[in-house]
Amino acid sequence: MAANMYRVGDYVYFENSSSNPYLIRRIEELNKTANGNVEAKVVCLFRRRDISTNLNTLADSNARDFEEESKQPSMSEQQKHQLKHRELFLSRQFESLPATHIRGKCNVTLLNETDVLTGYLEREDCFFYSLVFDPVQKTLLADQGEIRVGSKYQAEIPDKLAEGDLDNRVQEKLETKVWDPNNQLKDPQIDQFLVVARAVGTFARALDCSSSIRQPSLHMSAAAASRDITLFHAMDTLQKNSYDLAKAMSTLVPQGGPVLCRDEMEEWSASEAMLFEEALEKYGKDFNDIRQDFLPWKSLASVVQFYYMWKTTDRYIQQKRLKAAEADSKLKQVYIPTYTKPNPNQINAPGSKPGMNGATGYQKGLSCESCHTAQSQQWYAWGPPNMQCRLCASCWIYWKKYGGLKTPTQLEGATRAGSDAAPRGHMTRQEVQGMSPFTSSAGRAKLLAKNRQTFILQTTKLTRIARRVCQDILQSRRAARRPYASINANAVKAECMIRLPKAAKSAVKNRLIPRPSLINIVKELAVQAPLKLKAPRGAPTPINRNQVNQPRSASALLGKRPFDNAGGNTLSTNGRPFALGMRAATQSVIKRQKVSQGDAPNPVVFVATKDTRALRKHLTQAEMRRVARKPHLPVRIKLPVPPRPLPVPIIPSSTSEPIVLED
């Protein structure tokens, strides 16, 4: 019963999404709406996954400084990883949430240098904070309400002097003497002098124009003159004049007129007091924010003095009574029953009601993404649906409460960006090129600055076995066509270990395909199509008239080619030689693009001959795709049988008889 009772000031878990971690909030108010529901006005606290990378770096730097100053014991990498899940960031942001979304209580404390960080890991539902996050300005600042406990905040007490020893310290440097109780005046004389000081203050306010407007009546001026500022001025005057009443009287009323002493209550106008009350309602006793946002023309000391004087007025007492009456009308606590509905991310057993968010259709034998266990009473879908990752029951509760996994994984960063976002099924070529770091000038400069090194990805023996044993899960052909899609290697290996004892009984047939080496292929191609010299750059490249009727994409592709045509004869786009005088006057010469040394490929160029281009016309579209995917296989083309030429009768060039022409 007490566990489900939530009061103002409690730190609680709120659930806004079935797959995202809980929100941690502090209850400020409990309000009952018109339809009978209960809403909670809460203060927002943010996790590390909710802030940017730059702010995470700043938080890491602050954590390292804290560990060095407080001399924390050494921690393992897993403890450091889990400790980041316990750190929160306080904010000034308020929001209203339905009370029915509360999922439990937690404990949030301000980090102190006397605390041991590993103690937070030993306690459940325990968090800490030391920085304040501003969601609007995107900044992290130290909390001003820090409790200064520790050796560096304690006073250094000198040793006690022995009897008869003299104190050689200079008292004037240590403190300032403002009153001597062993003076020659008696108490009635001091009281009479204070009455005279109040009368002088009242007279001075009557002479001052601004004061007469603020205190138009005599009793208001007398009340203002009876405040502490007048008494402090009178006692300081006695101290400066060595408690001589005659000299003190002349100091109170010099030749120019009576001295007027006013405190902060008189200096502030009514509009400034209203601004202060509004700021106090918003920020509380955070005087730095009050001065910065509402009263920038006032000093911090002036704001603090006005606050403590304002607490002695009737205005403060009246507001305090109104707040007490308003608090009595509001809810003090609310009872929220335990949430027992099943989570939509549960992976149900076969034959049961299907879940949501891709929780169905999971392969058997998958392990937990966090603790790598293969046995659990209940499994939950986690991460992108196409990855088919899942968590066991204990790791799912850890994910919901602390916003991370017990052990760091590569998928945790992708889930942090947004676990509810749908994965991209396909990316266009322009999007892939836009994601490449070599498309920008900065990325290209980094590429040229480094030497090119050849690397190879060496697969292990278990990986090669898993490719054949788990072909239905891996789908290597489909994965080769979609290289940007991630593969859950842990799930494939786990399934392979389960199937391996059964697959070992049947021998796997390996078909070896003899393939020539790359050097032999290059030599053979170089012999068949030798590289010819480039055409001189001085003469412009003629353009065929047939290009006028061609689509713009063909000319655009030709203009972007990095290399000139290596053939000796100038050819058009269809591979036929140009006729004399064939040049379109309406088109301009294509401007060839210069290629930098870093962007140039390896110096191996294959030039298509006239016969090769003729053979391409006999290939179908399916055969062209097959050849492009498997360039190492030979191409078999069935050429059509050329038609047989008809016999031409042979006519003799001359005859023995003469030719007779008749008219």
Side-chain angles (χ1 to χ4, degrees):
M1 183 72 179
N4 294 338
M5 193 67 69
Y6 300 95
R7 299 175 177 85
V8 175
D10 289 346
Y11 290 91
V12 295
Y13 295 115
F14 273 91
E15 186 175 24
N16 67 337
S17 175
S18 60
S19 57
N20 286 342
Y22 293 140
L23 304 176
I24 299 179
R25 300 291 186 262
R26 185 181 67 198
I27 301 176
E28 289 294 315
E29 295 179 3
L30 292 172
N31 302 320
K32 195 170 184 179
T33 59
N35 54 4
N37 297 329
V38 178
E39 285 190 353
K41 182 182 178 182
V42 295
V43 178
C44 300
L45 289 95
F46 295 89
R47 304 177 189 264
R48 277 180 171 261
R49 68 193 306 273
D50 300 327
I51 63 178
S52 62
T53 307
N54 297 333
L55 295 182
N56 270 289
T57 305
L58 184 61
D60 292 338
S61 177
N62 180 75
R64 287 192 297 267
D65 295 341
F66 176 81
E67 292 178 2
E68 294 176 359
E69 292 178 0
S70 58
K71 298 180 180 179
Q72 296 288 331
S74 59
M75 295 179 291
S76 62
E77 293 298 328
Q78 186 174 1
Q79 287 179 331
K80 292 180 180 179
H81 172 74
Q82 295 181 2
L83 192 63
K84 293 181 179 180
H85 302 156
R86 303 299 184 100
E87 184 178 7
L88 301 177
F89 302 100
L90 186 65
S91 70
R92 312 291 183 194
Q93 181 177 346
F94 292 86
E95 63 181 3
S96 296
L97 296 174
T100 54
H101 290 186
I102 296 177
R103 296 294 180 262
K105 293 182 181 180
C106 60
N107 185 22
V108 181
T109 57
L110 178 65
L111 183 61
N112 200 337
E113 64 177 9
T114 59
D115 296 340
V116 180
L117 294 177
T118 54
Y120 290 95
L121 300 177
E122 298 171 357
R123 291 173 288 177
E124 289 291 332
D125 304 324
C126 191
F127 301 88
F128 66 90
Y129 74 93
S130 61
L131 300 176
V132 178
F133 173 62
D134 189 353
V136 179
Q137 303 294 335
K138 305 297 181 183
T139 56
L140 277 180
L141 299 175
D143 184 38
Q144 300 296 330
E146 179 183 3
I147 302 175
R148 297 185 176 182
V149 178
S151 59
K152 65 180 182 179
Y153 299 114
Q154 304 300 321
E156 296 180 1
I157 303 174
D159 297 335
K160 183 179 179 181
L161 295 176
E163 295 183 1
D165 294 346
L166 298 177
D167 189 1
N168 298 326
R169 296 178 299 174
V170 181
Q171 297 295 331
E172 288 77 7
K173 294 183 179 180
L174 299 177
E175 56 188 1
T176 302
K177 190 175 183 180
V178 296
W179 183 257
D180 187 7
N182 300 322
N183 55 72
Q184 67 272 18
L185 298 178
K186 298 179 180 180
D187 291 343
Q189 293 176 329
I190 297 175
D191 294 339
Q192 291 175 359
F193 183 77
L194 294 179
V195 172
V196 172
R198 293 192 189 99
V200 172
T202 305
F203 179 65
R205 282 167 175 79
L207 296 178
D208 185 55
C209 297
S210 60
S211 299
S212 61
I213 296 174
R214 295 177 182 178
Q215 294 98 15
S217 60
L218 179 61
H219 69 277
M220 294 180 65
S221 299
S226 301
R227 299 183 66 85
D228 293 339
I229 189 66
T230 305
L231 302 181
F232 291 159
H233 176 64
M235 299 177 76
D236 290 341
T237 304
L238 287 176
Q239 172 68 20
K240 292 178 181 178
N241 292 279
S242 302
Y243 301 93
D244 188 349
L245 292 178
K247 292 181 180 179
M249 289 290 185
S250 61
T251 306
L252 282 178
V253 187
Q255 294 181 358
V259 178
L260 177 60
C261 298
R262 292 188 298 191
D263 55 9
E264 296 297 335
M265 289 297 296
E266 293 183 78
E267 292 289 347
W268 286 46
S269 62
S271 60
E272 291 175 343
M274 294 294 291
L275 283 175
F276 176 80
E277 292 178 359
E278 182 182 351
L280 193 67
E281 181 72 19
K282 181 178 181 180
Y283 293 119
K285 293 192 294 184
D286 196 341
F287 300 114
N288 287 316
D289 291 346
I290 290 174
R291 175 182 173 272
Q292 183 177 359
D293 295 344
F294 285 85
L295 300 165
W297 59 89
K298 296 289 185 180
S299 63
L300 184 61
S302 176
V303 175
V304 175
Q305 290 179 12
F306 181 81
Y307 169 73
Y308 287 103
M309 292 180 183
W310 174 77
K311 290 183 69 174
T312 62
T313 60
D314 296 337
R315 177 75 174 173
Y316 170 75
I317 298 173
Q318 183 181 2
Q319 287 191 1
K320 191 174 181 180
R321 289 175 181 174
L322 291 175
K323 287 185 178 180
E326 186 180 356
D328 292 338
S329 63
K330 291 183 178 180
L331 296 176
K332 301 294 188 303
Q333 58 186 8
V334 62
Y335 176 80
I336 305 296
T338 305
Y339 188 78
T340 57
K341 293 183 180 180
N343 193 289
N345 292 273
Q346 289 184 4
I347 303 176
N348 301 318
S352 61
K353 186 177 180 180
M356 298 171 60
N357 298 335
T360 57
Y362 271 66
Q363 300 289 342
K364 295 182 180 180
L366 299 179
S367 60
C368 176
E369 196 68 26
S370 178
C371 62
H372 306 291
T373 183
Q375 296 179 356
S376 179
Q377 296 180 355
Q378 182 62 53
W379 294 96
Y380 295 86
W382 179 81
N386 63 327
M387 296 300 299
Q388 291 195 351
C389 300
R390 65 181 185 176
L391 297 177
C392 61
S394 61
C395 292
W396 176 258
I397 296 175
Y398 186 92
W399 158 256
K400 294 290 287 185
K401 287 185 176 181
Y402 305 113
L405 301 183
K406 296 179 181 179
T407 55
T409 59
Q410 296 180 355
L411 285 180
E412 188 177 1
T415 310
R416 183 182 299 122
S419 58
D420 288 341
R424 298 292 302 273
H426 180 69
M427 298 179 66
T428 61
R429 181 179 300 176
Q430 290 79 8
E431 291 176 346
V432 175
Q433 292 176 355
M435 294 174 61
S436 175
F438 307 122
T439 56
S440 60
S441 58
R444 191 178 296 111
K446 292 181 181 180
L447 173 65
L448 295 177
K450 297 182 179 180
N451 296 329
R452 294 186 177 182
Q453 297 179 356
T454 305
F455 66 95
I456 184 172
L457 300 178
Q458 185 72 26
T459 57
T460 61
K461 189 174 182 180
L462 180 60
T463 305
R464 293 193 295 269
I465 295 175
R467 290 175 181 173
R468 296 184 176 274
V469 177
C470 304
Q471 290 183 0
D472 55 339
I473 300 177
L474 184 58
Q475 298 179 0
S476 56
R477 289 180 177 270
R478 185 169 179 268
R481 295 169 185 166
R482 302 175 64 189
Y484 49 83
S486 304
I487 298 175
N488 193 349
N490 295 331
V492 175
K493 291 181 180 179
E495 184 68 20
C496 178
M497 297 300 296
I498 298 175
R499 299 183 182 181
L500 195 57
K502 301 178 182 179
K505 298 178 181 180
S506 59
V508 180
K509 298 180 180 180
N510 294 329
R511 184 177 61 181
L512 299 178
I513 301 176
R515 298 179 180 176
S517 61
L518 181 61
I519 300 177
N520 296 336
I521 294 175
V522 173
K523 288 182 179 180
E524 184 178 356
L525 293 175
V527 171
Q528 295 179 1
L531 181 63
K532 299 182 181 180
L533 297 177
K534 294 183 180 180
R537 296 181 179 269
T541 304
I543 296 180
N544 191 1
R545 287 179 189 169
N546 298 330
Q547 272 187 325
V548 179
N549 299 326
Q550 291 179 356
R552 296 182 60 184
S553 59
S555 60
L557 291 175
L558 286 176
K560 292 183 179 179
R561 292 194 58 173
F563 291 100
D564 299 334
N565 190 3
N569 299 327
T570 306
L571 302 177
S572 63
T573 55
N574 55 7
R576 298 177 182 177
F578 287 106
L580 295 177
M582 294 179 62
R583 178 173 178 179
T586 57
Q587 285 189 342
S588 60
V589 179
I590 296 177
K591 185 177 180 181
R592 299 194 178 275
Q593 187 179 7
K594 294 183 179 180
V595 180
S596 62
Q597 187 176 1
D599 293 336
N602 296 330
V604 178
V605 181
F606 303 103
V607 181
T609 61
K610 187 176 181 180
D611 298 335
T612 306
R613 287 192 292 270
L615 292 176
R616 289 176 185 170
K617 297 180 181 180
H618 299 286
L619 293 176
T620 62
Q621 188 176 7
E623 292 175 346
M624 289 286 288
R625 290 180 179 178
R626 191 181 302 109
V627 169
R629 290 171 184 170
K630 298 180 179 181
H632 58 278
L633 298 179
V635 183
R636 298 178 181 179
I637 304 175
K638 296 181 179 180
L639 297 177
V641 180
R644 296 182 179 180
L646 298 175
V648 180
I650 302 174
I651 302 175
S653 59
S654 61
T655 57
S656 57
E657 299 179 358
I659 299 174
V660 179
L661 298 177
E662 297 181 356
D663 191 359

